[in-house]
């Protein structure tokens, strides 16, 4: 049951792009290879909540016709199979946010990012599992089932976009889309040894994304290489009149910047992110080696300080529940999704539908958010958190005048065991310790594979200035090409199911 190294589904996006144009294989064959991989391994990994096989094969056939007629050959996503996180609306395909309250919801429209992919002739393989409403860091908060890490099935893939990252790492798709509100693209990318970028807030349209924390929600690609990530990001970026927070700023052709020399780049190591305490020895070593490699490549590395970043998690876990409590108010048993059958009055439709439909984490966030926003507490919590957020943002801006990019770990440890942290929500919130600052500031940040500790993946985070994705990707690419970590793949035989 081993996955063949040279099968079509294990190719990168740029490799498939070339192969399709040179007619080495068709989109239908490529799509079928991904579907076969899903059939073989997804009963163990559980990356998908919906596989839209028929639609995918139809879209692949359409792409093949276009290729035969030499139409749209310049479109980078043409004919390429993608897995889409299940918080992004897909017309006529179930979109559940992995919550029971939306278990049967079929959207009448596509999210802008999905529309872009379809317009290019892309192939939507299905919807990827995630923590319900993207609340979490392990994908265990999915109301349906947890996703397993392809590197060790007894461990979590990270979250909340764990299905997207696991599907990409296990070659069940060529690339995937995730969302990063406070780490949900970067964190699972690191745990699964794939590349994931959180773009600058406002770079990619959020239209059609089931909102979590509207002021920090972003959509980002998860892919098998930095080049692939750069290609997808460029295509999904841009102004969208349906999302007024999107920027009109020019989209750089990221590909052109990838190979630039990095010897003039100034890299900052925020000292608050490099404390010995709580850091696993193996992860520290891998991270140190990565930094040494960057130095050897000529980058100038110096220690910097972001003193208020220590409050980023606390600040995030006030602002997020506040916005979540407002955004989830629309799920009332009337407008969308599940409606309780046991209600005797309108009020009971609301209360029972929400009680029966939401999982524990969504309820926890609604309660914390409602509390923090209520009269008397608003000033003490929400307003205070917003002030701290502004301080964090200013500090980041100041440091990014001194250095070009910031380097930090993604996590202090390797992927943990399924069930290890589920009984302690605070422990799970602390998983975001290296993630929240970028989210609070709204800057771009990438996670790239930087090695292994005890045979489990470790990721490196590179954060950059607003709309400076090109430099983030440049450093990531040069590092990736020098070290080649991204080429390592998990062995997908069932014997890697460790107890
Ligand atoms: N782990 C964070 C949370 O639970 C991040 C989630 C996200 O980015 N969607 O809020």
């Amino acid at each position: 049951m081993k996955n063949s190294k040279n099968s079509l589904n294990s190719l990168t996006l740029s490799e498939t792009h070339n192969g399709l144009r040179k007619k080495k294989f068709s989109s239908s064959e490529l799509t079928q290879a991904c579907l076969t991989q899903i059939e073989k391994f997804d009963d163990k990994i559980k990356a998908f909540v919906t596989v839209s096989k028929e639609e995918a094969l139809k879209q692949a056939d359409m792409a093949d016709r276009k290729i035969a007629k030499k139409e749209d050959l310049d479109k980078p996503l043409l004919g390429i199979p993608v897995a889409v996180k299940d918080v992004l609306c897909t017309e006529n395909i179930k979109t559940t946010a992995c919550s029971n309250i939306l278990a049967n919801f079929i959207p009448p429209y596509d999210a802008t990012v999905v529309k872009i992919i379809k317009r290019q002739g892309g192939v939507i393989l299905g919807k990827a599992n995630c923590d319900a409403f993207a609340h979490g860091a392990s994908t265990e908060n999915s109301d349906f089932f947890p996703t397993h890490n392809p590197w060790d099935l007894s461990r979590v893939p990270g979250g909340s976009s764990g299905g997207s990252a696991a599907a990409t790492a296990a070659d069940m798709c060529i690339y995937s889309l995730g969302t990063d509100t406070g780490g949900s693209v970067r964190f699972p990318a690191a745990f699964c040894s794939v590349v994931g970028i959180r773009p600058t807030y406002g770079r990619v349209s959020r239209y059609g994304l089931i909102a979590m924390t509207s002021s920090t929600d972003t959509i980002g690609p998860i892919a098998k290489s930095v080049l692939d990530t750069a290609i997808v990001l460029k295509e999904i970026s841009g102004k969208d009149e349906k999302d007024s927070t999107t920027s009109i700023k020019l989209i750089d052709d990221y590909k052109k910047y990838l190979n630039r020399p990095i010897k003039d780049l100034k890299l900052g190591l925020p000292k608050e992110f490099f404390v010995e305490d709580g850091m696993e020895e193996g992860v520290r070593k891998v991270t140190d080696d990565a930094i040494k490699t960057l130095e050897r490549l000529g980058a100038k590395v110096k220690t910097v300080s972001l003193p208020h970043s220590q409050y980023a998690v606390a600040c995030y876990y006030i602002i997020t529940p506040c916005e979540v409590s407002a955004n989830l108010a629309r799920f009332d048993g009337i407008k969308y999704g599940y409606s309780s059958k046991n209600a005797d009055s309108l009020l009971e439709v609301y209360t029972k539908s929400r009680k029966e439909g939401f999982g524990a984490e969504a309820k926890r966030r609604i309660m914390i958010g409602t509390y923090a926003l209520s009269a008397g507490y608003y000033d003490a919590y929400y307003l205070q958190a917003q002030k701290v957020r502004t301080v964090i943002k200013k500090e980041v801006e100041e440091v990014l005048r001194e250095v070009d990019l910031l380097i930090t770990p993604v996590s202090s440890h390797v992927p943990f065991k399924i069930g290890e942290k589920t009984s302690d929500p605070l422990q799970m919130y602390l998983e975001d310790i290296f993630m929240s600052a970028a989210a609070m500031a709204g800057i771009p940040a990438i996670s790239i594979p930087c090695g292994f500790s005890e045979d489990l993946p470790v990721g490196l985070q590179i954060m950059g200035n607003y709309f400076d994705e090109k430099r983030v990707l440049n450093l990531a690419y040069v590092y990736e090409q020098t070290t080649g970590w991204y080429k390592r793949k998990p062995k997908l035989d069932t014997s890697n199911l460790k107890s």
Side-chain angles (χ1 to χ4, degrees), residues 7-35:
S7 48
L8 294 180
N9 50 297
S10 66
L11 298 175
T12 63
L13 185 144
S14 35
E15 287 165 347
T16 52
H17 178 83
N18 295 335
L20 285 170
R21 265 151 205 75
K22 291 192 182 132
K23 305 234 169 63
K24 286 194 183 151
F25 47 83
S26 66
S27 171
S28 303
E29 286 165 335
L30 178 62
T31 303
Q32 191 51 62
C34 292
L35 291 167

Side-chain angles (χ1 to χ4, degrees), residues 167-354:
T168 309
D171 288 330
M172 296 194 273
C173 56
I174 303 303
Y175 71 102
S176 59
L177 291 183
T179 63
D180 190 311
T181 299
S184 283
V185 159
R186 293 164 284 158
F187 202 69
F191 273 19
C192 293
S193 200
V194 285
V195 182
I197 191 166
R198 166 200 173 84
T200 306
Y201 181 79
R203 181 71 298 181
V204 175
S205 168
R206 290 176 293 118
Y207 179 73
L209 160 65
I210 297 171
M212 177 181 164
T213 311
S214 306
S215 73
T216 70
D217 284 344
T218 61
I219 299 169
I222 298 179
K224 300 177 193 178
S225 72
V226 174
L227 171 59
D228 287 7
T229 311
I231 293 170
V232 180
L233 182 63
K234 177 171 182 287
E235 298 311 312
I236 62 172
S237 292
K239 178 76 192 158
D240 179 10
E241 60 180 25
K242 293 193 170 110
D243 174 359
S244 62
T245 63
T246 47
S247 171
I248 52 164
K249 241 181 143 56
L250 201 81
I251 308 157
D252 293 306
D253 188 357
Y254 304 126
K255 235 170 118 173
K256 281 199 190 140
Y257 292 86
L258 296 181
N259 225 348
R260 296 224 169 154
I262 61 160
K263 64 177 188 336
D264 292 326
L265 285 183
K266 288 192 263 0
L267 313 181
L269 308 180
K271 66 171 195 263
E272 295 77 8
F273 289 66
F274 287 90
V275 287
E276 297 275 315
D277 214 18
M279 195 80 182
E280 270 179 21
E281 183 55 31
V283 174
R284 198 176 53 81
K285 194 182 167 306
V286 166
T287 312
D288 286 350
D289 286 350
I291 293 164
K292 277 190 208 129
T293 303
L294 292 171
E295 273 185 302
R296 217 183 48 239
L297 290 167
K300 312 275 173 299
V301 177
K302 71 180 230 179
T303 302
V304 293
S305 178
L306 292 170
H308 285 82
S309 61
Q310 62 174 309
Y311 304 115
V313 173
C315 178
Y316 172 85
Y317 277 100
I318 296 290
I319 293 170
T320 276
C322 288
E323 294 194 35
V324 161
S325 72
N327 276 329
L328 295 187
R330 73 194 66 171
F331 301 104
D332 55 7
I334 292 178
K335 295 189 208 74
Y336 306 91
Y338 176 77
S339 190
S340 175
K341 306 282 168 292
N342 316 311
D344 291 329
S345 66
L346 179 61
L347 186 63
E348 274 193 14
V349 173
Y350 299 152
T351 54
K352 291 197 169 163
S353 300
R354 288 168 70 80

